[in-house]
Amino acid sequence: MFTGIVAEQGSVESLEPNNDDSVVLVIKAPQTGAGLEPGGSLAVNGVCLTATAVHGERISLDVMGETLNRTTTGNLRPGAAVNLERCVPAGGRLDGHVVQGHVDGVGELLERENRGTWERLRFAVPQRLARYIAEKGSIAVDGVSLTVTGVSDAGEPEQWFEVGLIPTTLAETGLGQLKPGGAVNLEVDVLAKYAERLLAFTNPRQPAHAAGGRQDGDAS
């Protein structure tokens, strides 16, 4: 489990395809690599991955086809900055919100507005995910725990949500450099997904809408 509080921005060293539909992602992370062992979990832009090899600041992670299809990981290129977070230890402080690292879908930055000491960002969200996003609720954007400040009406043809970023978030995560048109990984509140699933069994006529699939770090 993660909290959505980014500990470090690492950089992509390589993304090498395997013989199947998977790849090996190698990142450089001076701080995060310290103490991380093979088999440990690491959130990379909000995607829970398992470290397969750790050599100092170099971390190798296997990424399967399911994850490449559901996240922005396959679009990473050498030199790209990535948000990193180690899993929270038992008894650790929950500074953000409960983040599983299971990406539900990909959003797109529509616009950003400088409001002086902070910025307002609006993201397009897939129609199937909009039902899980509520004003003043929590959402993880590229692994960053954020509070939703505005949402589109249910009847709008194009669904969106807004967040506000303080200077610390702008400086210490990749969201500070994100340009309109940029893609981001989205993870909605897991409680909303479970509530819908439970209601579907209470009322069998109500279809269950799966928000997303399992990611690489789900083996445990």
Side-chain angles (χ1 to χ4, degrees):
M1 187 188 80
F2 306 92
T3 68
I5 304 300
V6 173
E8 178 185 13
Q9 277 196 281
S11 62
V12 175
E13 184 176 285
S14 63
L15 192 71
E16 299 296 334
N18 288 318
N19 293 327
D20 51 19
D21 62 349
S22 66
V23 301
V24 176
L25 171 65
V26 180
I27 61 176
K28 290 183 178 180
Q31 300 174 38
T32 306
L36 179 65
E37 298 181 355
S41 295
L42 181 66
V44 181
N45 278 352
V47 182
C48 179
L49 299 174
T50 299
T52 55
V54 181
H55 300 286
E57 64 180 27
R58 297 178 71 252
I59 305 171
S60 298
L61 310 109
D62 287 338
V63 186
M64 63 184 179
E66 168 75 4
T67 302
L68 296 174
N69 291 334
R70 290 183 178 271
T71 74
T72 63
T73 307
N75 297 327
L76 294 174
R77 296 294 180 266
V82 286
N83 298 325
L84 303 177
E85 182 189 358
R86 293 281 304 276
C87 56
V88 63
R93 188 181 299 277
L94 188 63
D95 285 326
H97 73 282
V98 174
V99 177
Q100 296 182 301
H102 305 168
V103 172
D104 296 307
V106 174
E108 177 187 338
L109 179 61
L110 296 176
E111 60 184 59
R112 62 187 309 154
E113 177 188 10
N114 190 322
R115 302 297 295 271
T117 58
W118 61 284
E119 289 192 22
R120 177 189 62 83
L121 276 65
R122 175 177 289 193
F123 292 92
V125 61
Q127 189 80 25
R128 63 186 175 84
L129 295 182
R131 60 168 57 84
Y132 305 110
I133 304 173
E135 187 173 340
K136 300 306 178 183
S138 297
I139 191 167
V141 180
D142 267 355
V144 182
S145 175
L146 299 170
T147 299
V148 178
T149 57
V151 294
S152 53
D153 292 332
E156 293 187 33
E158 301 296 331
Q159 293 294 308
W160 53 265
F161 69 91
E162 292 182 346
V163 295
L165 303 186
I166 62 175
T168 298
T169 306
L170 294 169
E172 298 185 4
T173 75
L175 298 180
Q177 303 299 319
L178 188 67
K179 293 179 171 50
V184 292
N185 295 318
L186 301 176
E187 181 184 335
V188 299
D189 192 340
V190 64
L191 295 179
K193 293 185 289 184
Y194 275 122
E196 182 179 70
R197 181 67 171 166
L198 287 169
L199 287 173
F201 278 89
T202 303
N203 180 8
R205 295 184 178 181
Q206 177 181 333
H209 299 276
R214 293 162 60 88
Q215 306 296 331
D216 288 308
D218 295 350
S220 59

